[in-house]
């Protein structure tokens, strides 16, 4: 495999540095009281979400002032049609983090526009609590802390550990209940962990065999989707409604057919 070129290295280094800066803030504040910016029935936004996006934005803009940011805590209007953009979730798993649960991550992706659509070509996910950094560049292998990773080889759903996410609204909750009911009897275990980015990183790393969520946002899944693909997995995200929402599935390839049959055939899944 050829060495990274200077441009790839510079973008990857900037994204990793930005993730580490935000990750240091997360680690310092995990057990401290946190100021809530807004709270809804199934979600919380912290002042630290906004502060971490500001830190990431400052670091990325210092290296690449012309690349706009589409982030959970603020979308630069230019990013909606820019040829290249960063897609940032400064704290993915905010509710966990707000409760002092050390299962949350920084997720940074770079996307390039081709025709009318965007493709993710760089992904970085940092778990600052476990010290685990996942990286991927399109067309290259996925890595954790520099070491190559691969999806699991399990092929039967009944042997699989699968993660589900329940997003933020009652509508999305309702949409996921049938999936839970259909799958719970057919897999070894279901895990609902509260961070889409880490769930995707775990699929790429062979810890989970699949991950499914509806109503998830682009910034939660852009980096993780590429990391799954570069680890040999399958990632599909179908736009669902406005506001960068997606219906998303990721798996190791082996359980994909059975997963789709159970998810897409109500009779089968009943
Ligand atoms: C979270 C996702 C998670 C989803 C939550 C929330 P946030 O992202 O990672 O999968 O179930 O509702 O959207 O808001 O913590 O960045």
């Amino acid at each position: 495999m050829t060495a990274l070129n200077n441009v790839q290295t510079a973008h990857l280094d900037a994204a990793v540095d930005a993730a580490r800066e935000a990750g240091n803030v997360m680690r310092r504040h995990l057990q401290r009281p946190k100021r809530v910016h807004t709270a809804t029935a199934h979600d919380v936004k912290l002042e630290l979400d906004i502060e971490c996006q500001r830190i990431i934005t400052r670091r990325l803009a210092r290296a690449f002032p012309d690349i706009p940011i589409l982030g959970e805590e603020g979308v630069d209007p230019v990013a909606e049609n820019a040829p290249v953009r960063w897609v940032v979730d400064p704290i993915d798993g905010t509710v966990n983090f707000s409760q002092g649960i050390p299962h949350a991550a920084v997720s940074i992706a770079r996307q390039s526009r081709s025709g009318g659509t965007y493709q993710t070509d760089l992904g970085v996910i940092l778990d600052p609590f476990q010290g685990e950094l996942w990286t991927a560049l399109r067309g290259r292998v996925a890595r954790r802390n520099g070491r190559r990773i691969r999806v699991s080889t399990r092929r039967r759903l009944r042997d699989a550990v699968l993660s589900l996410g329940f997003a933020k609204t009652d509508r999305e909750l309702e949409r996921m209940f049938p999936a839970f009911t259909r799958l719970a009897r057919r897999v070894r275990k279901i895990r609902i962990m509260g961070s889409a980015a880490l769930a995707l990183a775990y699929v790429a790393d062979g810890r989970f065999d699949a991950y499914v969520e509806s109503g998830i946002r682009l910034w939660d899944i852009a980096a993780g989707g590429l990391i799954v693909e570069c680890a040999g997995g399958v990632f599909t995200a179908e736009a669902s409604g406005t506001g960068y929402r997606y219906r998303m599935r990721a798996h190791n390839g082996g359980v994909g057919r059975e997963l789709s049959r159970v998810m897409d055939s109500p009779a089968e899944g009943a």
Side-chain angles (χ1 to χ4, degrees), residues 120-242:
T120 302
D121 45 34
L122 176 152
V124 168
I125 294 173
L126 173 69
D127 177 340
F129 310 113
Q130 300 294 329
E132 292 186 315
L133 174 73
W134 290 271
T135 58
L137 288 164
R138 183 163 294 282
R140 307 183 77 90
V141 300
R143 298 179 186 276
R144 170 177 28 84
N145 296 349
R147 293 173 65 91
R148 178 174 186 169
I149 60 171
R150 287 184 178 85
V151 293
S152 68
T153 55
R154 277 177 285 273
R155 302 187 61 77
R156 299 182 306 183
L157 215 46
R158 68 168 180 253
D159 299 330
V161 176
L162 181 150
S163 183
L164 295 180
F166 280 77
K168 302 181 188 239
T169 67
D170 287 335
R171 180 167 167 267
E172 289 152 356
L173 268 167
E174 296 294 334
R175 179 172 282 161
M176 286 303 296
F177 288 151
F180 179 87
T181 310
R182 286 183 204 144
L183 289 165
R185 292 192 300 264
R186 285 171 167 75
V187 298
R188 171 152 290 135
K189 285 290 183 188
I190 284 186
R191 293 289 181 256
I192 302 170
M193 307 277 282
S195 167
L198 287 179
L200 288 166
Y202 284 19
V203 170
D205 222 327
R207 298 174 182 175
F208 288 153
D209 303 297
Y211 169 53
V212 175
E213 186 157 357
S214 174
I216 195 70
R217 300 300 188 103
L218 178 63
W219 38 79
D220 299 314
I221 60 173
L226 176 67
I227 293 168
V228 166
E229 291 176 333
C230 290
V234 176
F235 172 75
T236 55
E238 178 193 329
S240 66
T242 57

Side-chain angles (χ1 to χ4, degrees), residues 42-44 49 72 89 91-95 165-168 194-197 211 213 216 219-220:
H42 304 296
D43 195 35
V44 160
D49 284 287
E72 179 168 32
D89 189 344
I91 302 179
D92 182 72
T94 297
V95 172
F166 280 77
K168 302 181 188 239
S195 167
Y211 169 53
E213 186 157 357
I216 195 70
W219 38 79
D220 299 314

